[in-house]
Amino acid sequence: MIKGFTAGSMLDSYFHPYSHSLITAVLWSGVAALCYKPLCRWLGFRYTKSAALIVGAAVFSHWILDLIAHPRDLPIYDNSAKVGFGLWNYRNPEFALEIALLALGICLYLSRNIMPAIRKRAVISFGIVLLVVQIGDTYVPRAALTDRATALGVWIFYTLFVLVALIIEKLRTPAAK
Ligand SMILES: [Zn+2]
């Protein structure tokens, strides 16, 4: 973690061959696509091959988006041959792209799913919360945290966001009594 490491992010994630090399990103995407079938069977959801492909592509999209954002610290393999276009060095365009992707995701989710009004409102509210969090992260100056605190914070917040999304996904109109 380096204060002012890039304009948009203080996170100097310089060693991540397991999560972030191109080779492991391909592997993780394959694992996700393959796990989708047993997961569907286990949860009783309908399985289609194209959905498994979309899951794999969604996992891989992380690497593509990181390629755009990261400052030349993404390894192609192991911990070498590093790439990254460094959009994090440009605070406003980076912020705009981030929010545009969030808004696009929300619009897709709302337009492609039939859902009760309560879930629609929850999705939009959660989007606003994420927007505020991103404004804080990008524009509000703060002291650099220790690596440990950063790792812990990222872990806690990402888990929390996933849990909130899961709860929203389960929202139904309360049955009339
Ligand atoms: Zn990443």
Side-chain angles (χ1 to χ4, degrees), residues 6-24:
T6 56
S9 167
M10 293 196 285
L11 185 64
D12 171 20
S13 48
Y14 128 102
F15 182 77
H16 39 38
Y18 304 114
S19 64
H20 278 77
S21 85
L22 175 60
I23 300 294
T24 46

Side-chain angles (χ1 to χ4, degrees), residues 2-121:
I2 299 174
K3 192 169 164 65
F5 172 60
T6 56
S9 167
M10 293 196 285
L11 185 64
D12 171 20
S13 48
Y14 128 102
F15 182 77
H16 39 38
Y18 304 114
S19 64
H20 278 77
S21 85
L22 175 60
I23 300 294
T24 46
V26 170
L27 280 176
W28 288 126
S29 309
V31 167
L34 288 176
C35 285
Y36 180 70
K37 191 172 188 174
L39 208 63
C40 274
R41 194 167 297 166
W42 183 47
L43 295 170
F45 292 143
R46 197 168 62 92
Y47 170 84
T48 59
K49 237 183 208 149
S50 55
L53 281 176
I54 290 172
V55 169
V59 173
F60 189 69
S61 73
H62 181 101
W63 198 84
I64 299 296
L65 291 172
D66 272 358
L67 176 66
I68 296 169
H70 275 240
R72 218 179 238 275
D73 63 356
L74 288 174
I76 297 291
Y77 62 94
D78 195 23
N79 198 32
S80 45
K82 301 200 172 179
V83 290
F85 302 147
L87 189 64
W88 274 344
N89 289 313
Y90 307 92
R91 198 187 301 246
N92 295 328
E94 194 270 340
F95 179 80
L97 181 67
E98 201 125 11
I99 298 311
L101 282 174
L102 175 66
L104 183 74
I106 289 175
C107 289
L108 271 176
Y109 181 81
L110 290 177
S111 63
R112 310 254 328 186
N113 293 283
I114 299 161
M115 70 189 81
I118 183 173
R119 199 193 303 168
K120 253 179 212 166
R121 279 198 297 271

Side-chain angles (χ1 to χ4, degrees), residues 94-165:
E94 194 270 340
F95 179 80
L97 181 67
E98 201 125 11
I99 298 311
L101 282 174
L102 175 66
L104 183 74
I106 289 175
C107 289
L108 271 176
Y109 181 81
L110 290 177
S111 63
R112 310 254 328 186
N113 293 283
I114 299 161
M115 70 189 81
I118 183 173
R119 199 193 303 168
K120 253 179 212 166
R121 279 198 297 271
V123 168
I124 293 166
S125 308
F126 187 41
I128 292 169
V129 169
L130 289 177
L131 172 66
V132 170
V133 168
Q134 189 61 45
I135 290 172
D137 196 46
T138 306
Y139 292 106
V140 179
R142 61 195 152 96
L145 298 168
T146 62
D147 290 350
R148 218 189 136 82
T150 307
L152 199 69
V154 166
W155 194 83
I156 289 172
F157 274 103
Y158 282 4
T159 309
L160 197 73
F161 292 155
V162 170
L163 285 177
V164 170

